[in-house]
Amino acid sequence: MAQAYSAGLTVTDNIILRKERVLPLKGEVLVQKGDKVKAEDVVAETLLPGKVVPFNLANKLGVTPAQLQNFIKIQPGQQITKETVLAENKGLFGTGLFKNVVYSPVDGEVENISSVTGQVLLREPRIPVQVKAFIDGVVTDVIPEEGVIIENKSAYIQGIFGVGDETVGELKVIAKSPSDEIGVGDINDSCKGKVIVTGACVSYEVIEAARNHGVAAIITGGIDDQDIKRLLGYDIGVAITGHEKIGLTIVCTEGFGKINMAQKTYDLLKQFDGHKTSIHGRTQIRAGVIRPEIIIPLDFEHEELKAPEAAVPVLKPGTMIRVIRQPHFGRIAKVTALPEELTKVESETMVRILEAEFEDGTKFSLPRANVEVIES
Amino acid sequence: MQYDEKRLTRIVATDCGSTTTKAILIEWVDGEYRQTIRGEAPTTVEAPLNDVTKGVINATNELEELARLKYNNPNIKFMENGEFVIPRNGDIGVDAYVSTSSAGGGLQMMVTGVVASMTGESAERAALGAGAIVMDLIASNDKRMNHEKIERIRHLRPDMILMAGGEDGGTVKHVVEMAELVSGADPKPRLGAGYKLPVIYAGNVEAQEEVKKTLQDKVDLIVTENIRPKLETENLGPARDKIHDLFMEHVMKQAPGYNKLMEWTRGPDHENVPIMPTPAAVGNIMQTIAREENIEVLGVDIGGATTDVFSVFTDEHIFNRTVSANLGMSYSISNVLASAGLDNIMRWVPFDINEGELRNMIKNKMIRPTTIPFLLKELVLEQAIAKEALRLAFIQHKDFASSLKGMQKQRDISEAFSQSTSGATIVDMMSLDLLVGSGGVLSHAPRRNQTFMMLIDAFLPEGITQIAVDSIFMMPHLGVLSEISTKAATEVFRKDCMLYLGTCVAPVGRSKIGKQALHATITLPDGKVFDEHIPYGELRLIPLGVGEVAKAHLKTSGGLTLDSNKSKELDVELHGGTVGIVIDTRGRRPFGLPTEKAQRISYLKKWMRELKVYPEEILA
């Protein structure tokens, strides 16, 4: 086989990005097609339905569900406060003595009244939700009542794993090389609000220092599993992340353990040192994969916003690859051949392999599944 | 519609898993159906491709290339212009294309009932039997406050909800109350905001009208027969069929590229062959084996994200399936570590390894799920993790596969002294006839002896049990193929899929290491006799080929037993396989490993060496 499909993460200094920014429920879009927006701008907002409070009114009143309709003072859709009487009975023999009056436990709205169960559902006031642009760019489409599509030209890096939600800050490369490992002393007040680059690894102590100095986000090659556990207070079982409230966002570009940041990734970050950067740690490795993103918006003309069709990363002789599992984890090489036959590797597994050459000329072979294509 | 070899001579079947898309070619060759070629490619539900059919094309390309090589015919082609050519015309095209799928997280459901252990459990059984992952069971008596239940329903975002509750003529109030909670939560489907969430109501027939009134404006309500019409009767079929219909109509259409894939899956007359959820297809096959051979079967399919356990036990062939949604070998591997604990994984590893290194290795597999162990050490570690994933999934299965709870049971005098109660597990390892493994780590283990050991260490079969494996992972494919050709599916299953590894003989009971446990006299087909007094705490491997049968006289010592009748002496026939007969005197009820590390490693090495599980260099 002369070539084969291979998965890979995107690292590029120039991409046309298209981001859908939509509300969780229908609401109001605040911008128009053609508007230029900043990452911090609110583009759409809505009111989420408030919390539902089930309330067994028949029980409270001491009547059967079927009798409830004789005493009820509210109807579905009615606005209520804690002073609203939901139901009252007429007291002993209709005299008003020992009259039982039930007030609403919450402010809000009546959702439903059931004569089968005697239960009323009350809904608390709506909760406002806003969606921000997240990236500087142009609104190229409006989805009525739902949100917008924002496009821009960016330098773009997909991370492999992250924690923490969307944030924006100025890029600050602290690591002096992809293999560097910065210390607590490297973090100071100049890092406040910044997206910092730490090199091959970031320790728990450095993360703590970053939090204390108000760092917005950390970009690192690797991170130790135990440091993540300490940071979150639990072990990550399934990689669905991004919702953590830990005071900052962390994006790993390579994986777990100390792993040199890919030279290309480091060089790209270094090139854009000081630029405004949008970043999130959201990772979901099943059911519609999501990877963390580092987005550095560039200046562009509107005509440039033509996204090329998604290219399929392909392995063929000459393709540059990065090894993504032991042995040689993290090293860069060039494919020299793609033998068709299944080949037995050290573990005795029969796999399709590729033959490749490191920069120093050393030759090796590996399962095709254990490399990713580096886009040129 | 069923077809035979006149209309079906070449079929491509795929299984779109969460990690890889596996394609097989089935052909009518020399008067029989055989599985001839296999190809695979990464599943493409991830950006930038976001289209499951790309993975199908890639896997089929590999099939085409291998077919050209195999038949030395450069003209063979199954697809043209990126689509299957149906029917076959000479070298070009296939007569049918069928597929199963668990990509995109499979089918995720929430179920409700009135009493969790009765109608709730029946609803759960129906959902699981249909191939779903059950995200939560919400019941009137589950001790959560109503507002907590509403929050939970809102938060979950399932693909669909199955509501059960009340026997016919029983409680209406509790069923309607649950409908009110669902209505209040106003749940949204996980995929696609443009349609209403499908909710199947399969509860008390007398509550149907009230449930309709409560729910029909908010959700897409489908009413079907009661799942538990009487306390002592379960009627899972109608609800299960509705789940399958909705899976196709709603869920699959939302996943990237599935609209296209659904149009591709066609038989010889261009009729659509619905895509089946992978576990439903595997369940079909397991039930067929049990029915046709009249045996008790326990099967497992361990995938990247989930582990499914299937069983058919008792004379009535009661089928149960459980899915452990977060136990798997890639996406969920880290959760196996979190659930089992590091010590439980390390107890299967015959060498020492730095804890941090192992933890990071597991996490890296989680985030790069398609990678393969190149190093022998990593293979051993992955197989140790697999044993724990299988063990944990089996514990969940045993709890779930029980007789119906809440039934009045009349007992005779012999039962009065036993512990059996309504709701006790029906999984009996002593009466089990066949244990079948499937899924990447079992089907693709470099040595079949590794598969044998993973299965016996995880499931601890008792007495005499045949062990088999899905040779190259094709049970899902055959499960869906049987929809258009039972003949093709059955033939390929017997000849190419089901690979007998051999038989495990494991006396039950506790004894002391080194003490006499079993005297085995086994007469092999060539007349040779294996005769040994095997001490407690040992493993023995006696080679016996596929299709061969040996006559054995087994006699235990020290109170150990060999079957459900507590026999201590037995004359039996033992069936061979690619591994052979394994005699396991390591004990059952309890099975234990030495707790002291050096001693444990020494025992593991001895057992692994005896079973020829790993190359000598790692056991030295």
Side-chain angles (χ1 to χ4, degrees):
Chain A
M1 198 182 289
Q3 58 179 45
Y5 164 79
S6 172
L9 298 174
T10 307
V11 178
T12 175
D13 62 354
N14 184 347
I15 194 171
I16 302 300
L17 271 188
R18 194 181 148 83
K19 287 262 153 217
E20 204 177 71
R21 308 291 297 165
V22 293
L23 293 161
L25 282 180
K26 288 198 173 179
E28 190 186 356
V29 177
L30 305 174
V31 291
Q32 291 178 344
K33 191 172 171 176
D35 284 358
K36 279 196 170 176
V37 288
K38 294 275 169 207
E40 303 80 1
D41 295 346
V42 175
V43 292
E45 65 183 10
T46 190
L47 295 168
L48 279 184
K51 199 169 130 189
V52 176
V53 181
F55 189 68
N56 201 314
L57 192 51
N59 270 359
K60 286 275 174 197
L61 202 62
V63 298
T64 67
Q67 290 171 328
L68 186 62
Q69 57 180 339
N70 302 327
F71 306 106
I72 197 132
K73 300 287 178 198
I74 49 168
Q75 52 194 8
Q78 184 181 329
Q79 297 297 314
I80 48 168
T81 66
K82 286 183 181 164
E83 276 81 48
T84 307
V85 174
L86 299 181
E88 62 181 350
N89 62 16
K90 298 190 174 70
L92 201 60
F93 309 119
T95 59
L97 273 176
F98 303 112
K99 192 163 100 172
N100 192 359
V101 181
V102 183
Y103 291 95
S104 168
V106 293
D107 294 337
E109 193 180 308
V110 180
E111 170 106 358
N112 182 47
I113 302 164
S114 172
S115 58
V116 178
T117 62
Q119 181 162 257
V120 293
L121 294 181
L122 309 173
R123 201 175 276 281
E124 289 186 353
R126 291 164 184 262
I127 308 152
V129 171
Q130 295 184 325
V131 171
K132 289 184 178 173
F134 181 54
I135 54 171
D136 293 2
V138 172
V139 178
T140 55
D141 214 346
V142 171
I143 308 162
E145 299 179 9
E146 287 185 38
V148 294
I149 307 287
I150 297 171
E151 293 188 38
N152 77 2
K153 187 163 89 170
S154 293
Y156 179 81
I157 297 168
Q158 251 182 334
I160 187 78
F161 172 79
V163 287
D165 210 347
E166 295 175 345
T167 184
V168 179
E170 188 185 300
L171 192 63
K172 183 179 170 70
V173 181
I174 301 175
K176 293 185 179 58
S177 73
S179 57
D180 199 9
E181 202 177 336
I182 70 164
V184 172
D186 294 310
I187 307 286
N188 52 44
D189 285 341
S190 73
C191 301
K192 189 175 166 87
K194 304 272 171 73
V195 176
I196 63 168
V197 180
T198 63
C201 200
V202 63
S203 66
Y204 179 77
E205 290 70 26
V206 170
I207 298 170
E208 271 293 278
R211 276 208 287 208
N212 293 337
H213 284 90
V215 166
I218 294 172
I219 303 172
T220 174
I223 191 164
D224 194 81
D225 161 68
Q226 289 299 286
D227 286 343
I228 281 274
K229 189 174 170 184
R230 209 168 144 198
L231 191 67
L232 301 178
Y234 57 89
D235 203 358
I236 292 176
V238 179
I240 297 175
T241 62
H243 54 274
E244 301 77 12
K245 303 272 178 257
I246 50 167
L248 45 63
T249 294
I250 302 174
V251 171
C252 296
T253 59
E254 314 303 317
F256 288 89
K258 185 185 171 187
I259 314 169
N260 293 353
M261 187 175 279
Q263 187 71 42
K264 185 178 174 187
T265 307
Y266 178 80
D267 290 346
L268 194 67
L269 293 168
K270 192 81 187 158
Q271 183 187 340
F272 291 100
D273 202 2
H275 280 58
K276 182 178 180 181
T277 303
S278 301
I279 182 169
H280 71 80
R282 286 207 298 269
T283 315
Q284 181 175 317
I285 312 186
R286 58 185 286 204
V289 177
I290 300 167
R291 295 282 186 186
E293 293 175 298
I294 302 161
I295 300 166
I296 307 161
L298 308 172
D299 291 333
F300 63 94
E301 297 298 324
H302 197 80
E303 303 78 64
E304 291 181 77
L305 294 180
K306 280 184 192 133
E309 200 167 309
V312 182
V314 165
L315 282 176
K316 54 186 180 197
T319 307
M320 293 303 291
I321 51 164
R322 181 154 48 140
V323 182
I324 55 172
R325 186 164 182 162
Q326 296 295 355
H328 314 303
F329 193 177
R331 291 191 68 180
I332 309 289
K334 187 193 274 183
V335 176
T336 54
L338 293 161
E340 279 174 0
E341 320 72 54
L342 294 176
T343 306
K344 192 186 265 191
V345 297
E346 186 198 293
S347 62
E348 298 185 335
T349 313
M350 297 293 288
V351 289
R352 289 180 160 257
I353 58 153
L354 56 78
E355 290 168 7
E357 193 176 279
F358 291 126
E359 277 174 351
D360 62 7
T362 324
K363 288 187 164 47
F364 68 99
S365 61
L366 274 184
R368 291 182 194 178
N370 290 4
V371 304
E372 64 185 16
V373 172
I374 300 176
E375 289 174 23
S376 52
Chain B
M1 183 75 187
Q2 288 281 315
Y3 296 94
D4 61 15
E5 65 277 9
K6 291 191 189 84
R7 302 292 309 282
L8 279 180
T9 58
R10 186 194 273 166
I11 307 145
V12 169
T14 57
D15 171 58
C16 305
S18 48
T19 318
T20 32
T21 298
K22 282 89 52 180
I24 60 168
L25 185 68
I26 290 160
E27 295 180 282
W28 176 257
V29 202
D30 299 332
E32 57 180 2
Y33 279 111
R34 296 304 295 257
Q35 183 274 322
T36 49
I37 295 165
R38 174 181 185 281
E40 66 176 44
T43 295
T44 46
V45 285
E46 185 166 2
L49 296 172
N50 265 332
D51 180 351
V52 73
T53 60
K54 296 277 193 289
V56 171
I57 294 174
N58 290 327
T60 310
N61 278 346
E62 191 166 307
L63 276 190
E64 283 178 344
E65 287 179 21
L66 293 170
R68 284 177 213 138
L69 274 179
K70 181 180 168 104
Y71 297 115
N72 194 21
N73 177 353
N75 302 321
I76 292 177
K77 239 189 208 181
F78 307 142
M79 301 182 99
E80 268 181 349
N81 305 321
E83 285 194 24
F84 285 98
V85 178
I86 296 174
R88 173 186 183 180
N89 181 10
D91 292 333
I92 312 292
V94 294
D95 293 315
Y97 167 62
V98 293
S99 189
T100 57
S101 175
S102 58
L107 167 61
Q108 304 190 6
M109 289 184 65
M110 193 197 90
V111 300
T112 71
V114 170
V115 180
S117 62
M118 294 187 211
T119 46
E121 216 166 76
S122 293
E124 200 173 1
R125 245 191 287 275
L128 288 163
I133 289 169
V134 175
M135 305 164 89
D136 202 353
L137 159 62
I138 295 180
S140 305
N141 74 333
D142 71 10
K143 297 201 176 127
R144 282 177 282 194
M145 303 294 287
N146 278 352
H147 70 270
E148 290 173 317
K149 290 175 189 167
I150 290 176
E151 278 304 301
R152 179 74 180 144
I153 300 169
R154 247 167 107 170
H155 181 72
L156 279 179
R157 305 195 67 162
D159 293 321
M160 65 178 90
I161 296 177
L162 172 62
M163 295 185 66
E167 53 181 338
D168 284 343
T171 176
V172 169
K173 185 183 162 198
H174 288 98
V175 182
V176 175
E177 187 181 65
M178 192 57 74
E180 286 168 2
L181 298 185
V182 171
S183 165
D186 195 10
K188 299 282 176 268
R190 177 172 64 108
L191 303 164
Y195 73 102
K196 283 183 180 174
L197 181 78
V199 174
I200 300 166
Y201 174 70
N204 182 0
V205 70
E206 288 179 10
Q208 283 180 359
E209 282 312 307
E210 284 297 332
V211 169
K212 275 187 201 163
K213 262 191 237 163
T214 315
L215 281 173
Q216 66 188 3
D217 292 340
K218 290 206 167 163
V219 300
D220 182 3
L221 184 69
I222 297 102
V223 176
T224 187
E225 289 167 46
N226 193 352
I227 223 167
R228 194 86 181 252
K230 289 183 194 157
L231 219 45
E232 50 281 339
T233 318
E234 246 182 7
N235 176 29
L236 305 181
R240 204 146 60 190
D241 292 346
K242 284 277 178 272
I243 295 170
H244 277 163
D245 295 348
L246 291 168
F247 177 64
M248 290 300 296
E249 285 168 28
H250 291 266
V251 185
M252 296 293 277
K253 281 189 181 159
Q254 307 301 325
Y258 274 89
N259 263 335
K260 217 193 297 177
L261 189 68
M262 283 161 72
E263 283 176 20
W264 282 7
T265 52
R266 297 200 172 272
D269 292 321
H270 280 257
E271 77 285 19
N272 190 266
V273 185
I275 299 168
M276 202 181 265
T278 305
V282 177
N284 273 2
I285 285 283
M286 296 284 176
Q287 290 178 84
T288 310
I289 309 174
R291 202 175 42 240
E292 294 201 348
E293 313 273 336
N294 194 24
I295 53 174
E296 291 187 342
V297 179
L298 178 64
V300 64
D301 176 11
I302 177 165
T306 61
T307 296
D308 291 340
V309 181
F310 307 82
S311 70
V312 184
F313 275 98
T314 76
D315 293 339
E316 290 87 47
H317 288 158
I318 295 173
F319 172 70
N320 273 291
R321 170 193 169 236
T322 49
V323 53
S324 302
N326 290 327
L327 296 174
M329 289 307 296
S330 58
Y331 297 100
S332 311
I333 192 169
S334 179
N335 197 54
V336 179
L337 171 67
S339 306
L342 192 73
D343 290 345
N344 273 327
I345 290 171
M346 288 308 295
R347 72 193 173 122
W348 302 113
V349 179
F351 49 79
D352 218 357
I353 180 172
N354 173 284
E355 183 182 324
E357 199 184 320
L358 175 65
R359 285 180 180 279
N360 285 331
M361 184 204 106
I362 291 173
K363 287 283 192 300
N364 280 320
K365 171 83 180 184
M366 170 183 76
I367 56 173
R368 289 191 159 103
T370 54
T371 59
I372 291 168
F374 176 95
L375 301 173
L376 184 56
K377 264 193 169 182
E378 291 199 346
L379 178 85
V380 176
L381 290 168
E382 281 200 12
Q383 293 188 344
I385 296 165
K387 287 179 191 179
E388 283 304 299
L390 293 169
R391 183 180 67 84
L392 293 173
F394 185 43
I395 290 173
Q396 291 180 6
H397 186 81
K398 278 191 284 194
D399 281 349
F400 182 74
S402 57
S403 54
L404 294 183
K405 289 172 190 149
M407 280 168 55
Q408 294 281 340
K409 196 177 172 193
Q410 280 197 333
R411 296 182 188 194
D412 60 27
I413 192 73
S414 67
E415 283 178 310
F417 296 102
S418 75
Q419 291 293 309
S420 85
T421 54
S422 80
T425 185
I426 58 169
V427 173
D428 179 358
M429 295 307 281
M430 199 53 136
S431 65
L432 176 70
D433 298 293
L434 176 66
L435 171 60
V436 190
S438 183
V441 70
L442 294 171
S443 292
H444 298 311
R447 296 183 183 194
R448 297 293 186 192
N449 304 45
Q450 292 163 357
T451 310
F452 201 117
M453 193 161 197
M454 277 187 269
L455 285 170
I456 63 170
D457 283 354
F459 288 92
L460 300 172
E462 299 173 357
I464 293 151
T465 317
Q466 264 191 287
I467 312 286
V469 66
D470 177 356
S471 62
I472 56 163
F473 188 69
M474 62 168 113
M475 282 197 200
H477 309 75
L478 299 183
V480 66
L481 174 61
S482 64
E483 299 285 305
I484 55 165
S485 177
T486 313
K487 178 182 159 107
T490 317
E491 274 192 46
V492 174
F493 179 74
R494 289 189 197 286
K495 287 168 190 155
D496 299 309
C497 170
M498 184 83 149
L499 186 71
Y500 283 97
L501 299 180
T503 301
C504 177
V505 177
V508 173
R510 185 202 295 259
S511 186
K512 277 191 181 152
I513 298 283
K515 205 175 159 194
Q516 166 69 30
L518 179 75
H519 179 198
T521 312
I522 300 173
T523 311
L524 300 167
D526 61 3
K528 283 188 188 152
V529 177
F530 170 90
D531 190 333
E532 191 184 335
H533 291 270
I534 305 166
Y536 191 80
E538 298 280 332
L539 280 177
R540 290 289 181 274
L541 171 63
I542 304 141
L544 182 67
V546 178
E548 294 183 338
V549 180
K551 287 192 173 3
H553 178 77
L554 307 169
K555 189 176 177 190
T556 62
S557 310
L560 302 179
T561 59
L562 286 163
D563 63 10
S564 304
N565 299 326
K566 304 212 160 134
S567 305
K568 296 188 169 110
E569 194 165 358
L570 268 187
D571 283 300
V572 284
E573 288 190 333
L574 300 177
H575 293 263
T578 47
V579 177
I581 298 166
V582 172
I583 297 178
D584 181 354
T585 61
R586 295 176 299 172
R588 297 289 190 269
R589 298 191 239 162
F591 166 85
L593 288 164
T595 44
E596 199 274 315
K597 196 201 284 179
Q599 193 191 11
R600 187 181 66 243
I601 288 178
S602 154
Y603 273 101
L604 286 173
K605 283 182 174 174
K606 188 164 111 180
W607 296 332
M608 288 169 173
R609 196 172 284 130
E610 172 64 29
L611 289 200
K612 301 184 173 55
V613 171
Y614 298 116
E616 190 50 39
E617 63 256 32
I618 204 145
L619 302 174

